[in-house]
Amino acid sequence: GPSLEKPAAPDMLAVRTSEYQLPSSTPMQHLLRLEVSASAVAHNLRLIAGHVGPHVRLCAAVKSDCYGHGLDFLLPTIAECGSVFVATPEEVVEIRRMGYSVQVLVLFSAAAYLEGAERREAIAEIIHARAVQTVGSLDEVLALAEVARRLE
């Protein structure tokens, strides 16, 4: 079958290069270079979608600024999946600020790691942004329900 590699003619205008600097004594320092091609990402997403079939939705990881590769650079391509996941409520807000209506799944429950007013505000942000919040306990479900009731 097809392999998950760069297409034959990548769009060179949509390539982001990052150089990573370590102490000069690091062996192979010259090899620490990364090029990310938006067209290669799009190609690979099409291949994956072809393998899983039309009834399976892809959900791409865009947390931590697309793992440091740039949300602004990759989200236009990745949003075509229809769903993305992030780690924090702030990342949901950023995606909405950028104008995307893609479905967003928030991996880390704001109800689990925040308390008090900060917890309620983060949950409200997620609800207002129409994102899906993962939960891991009944306490988290109850916290989400309480904030949702207050927003009605």
Side-chain angles (χ1 to χ4, degrees):
S3 63
L4 299 179
E5 56 189 43
K6 286 173 67 171
D11 177 6
M12 293 312 290
L13 295 176
V15 173
R16 182 168 285 178
T17 301
S18 298
E19 299 282 343
Y20 297 95
Q21 297 299 317
L22 295 176
S24 60
S25 61
T26 302
M28 302 189 323
Q29 168 68 35
H30 64 285
L31 298 177
L32 299 177
R33 176 186 164 117
L34 174 71
E35 287 189 3
V36 177
S37 164
S39 61
V41 170
H43 173 79
N44 290 344
L45 288 172
R46 285 190 301 274
L47 284 175
I48 293 167
H51 282 291
V52 299
H55 302 293
V56 176
R57 289 178 56 187
L58 299 179
C59 185
V62 298
K63 67 184 224 48
S64 303
D65 195 34
C66 285
Y67 291 92
H69 302 307
L71 185 64
D72 61 328
F73 175 65
L74 289 173
L75 190 57
T77 299
I78 292 174
E80 294 180 25
C81 287
S83 298
V84 298
F85 70 82
V86 298
T88 66
E90 294 83 9
E91 292 172 315
V92 176
V93 171
E94 177 64 13
I95 288 170
R96 296 298 186 241
R97 187 193 64 71
M98 293 171 69
Y100 289 91
S101 60
V102 62
Q103 182 182 40
V104 180
L105 171 65
V106 184
L107 292 178
F108 301 123
S109 173
Y113 70 90
L114 297 172
E115 294 181 9
E118 189 177 17
R119 179 187 204 184
R120 289 187 297 277
E121 289 170 16
I123 292 170
E125 282 182 341
I126 291 166
I127 292 170
H128 284 301
R130 301 169 322 280
V132 177
Q133 172 68 77
T134 58
V135 292
S137 72
L138 179 58
D139 178 58
E140 293 172 31
V141 171
L142 295 174
L144 289 168
E146 176 189 336
V147 173
R149 275 193 301 275
R150 289 181 181 183
L151 294 175
E152 290 180 343

